Amino acid sequence: MKLIGKLKIAIMAIVIILSCGTVDAQRWHGHSRPYRVVTVVARPDVTVLVSNRFTQKERFRMAMAYLKNHRYLTVKRYAKITGLSKAAAEAELDAFVADKDNPMAVIIRGKKKVYIVRK
């Protein structure tokens, strides 16, 4: 009975020593660990100051007019039409989609977002 108890203690000691060695190997020595921050936004919040000759209503009408003649609208095309930056164009299109009264929807095609008329 004493032999089995000592064997259990020896096995536990080996497991602890091996796990400490693994933890120590994973620790960064002498370097600060880079931190990664992930932000998830549920509803787009447009904080970009848009100085443009068109109002937001006019830009929405431009997007809807484009969608009458084409199957979908990309951020790049919308930015080109309205003169906005790509970031501001994407934020504005996302704001249009978030408003349930607007007939615009978003579809993800691979890595690209395309905007269509909701049916």
Side-chain angles (χ1 to χ4, degrees):
M1 197 67 139
K2 287 186 178 185
L3 183 61
I4 293 175
K6 289 182 180 182
L7 187 60
K8 285 182 181 179
I9 291 173
I11 291 173
M12 287 301 293
I14 291 171
V15 168
I16 290 172
I17 290 170
L18 290 175
S19 66
C20 288
T22 305
V23 170
D24 191 45
Q26 292 176 355
R27 203 173 68 201
W28 290 60
H29 293 287
H31 302 290
S32 62
R33 185 175 184 152
Y35 291 100
R36 184 176 295 183
V37 177
V38 177
T39 305
V40 177
V41 178
R43 185 174 173 141
D45 192 20
V46 181
T47 58
V48 179
L49 177 63
V50 178
S51 62
N52 195 317
R53 60 183 177 194
F54 301 113
T55 65
Q56 189 175 18
K57 280 186 178 183
E58 291 172 333
R59 289 191 298 267
F60 177 71
R61 288 188 196 124
M62 291 168 70
M64 292 308 295
Y66 183 87
L67 286 171
K68 280 185 182 179
N69 299 325
H70 298 85
R71 295 176 74 177
Y72 60 88
L73 174 66
T74 62
V75 173
K76 186 176 181 179
R77 176 59 64 186
Y78 183 71
K80 192 178 242 186
I81 292 170
T82 59
L84 298 174
S85 68
K86 285 184 185 178
E90 184 176 10
E92 192 165 88
L93 285 170
D94 287 340
F96 291 154
V97 170
D99 186 7
K100 297 299 179 191
D101 295 334
N102 291 336
M104 195 179 283
V106 65
I107 295 176
I108 307 295
R109 287 191 178 170
K111 294 181 180 180
K112 213 163 142 177
K113 278 185 181 179
V114 293
Y115 299 85
I116 61 168
V117 177
R118 193 180 295 142
K119 294 183 181 183

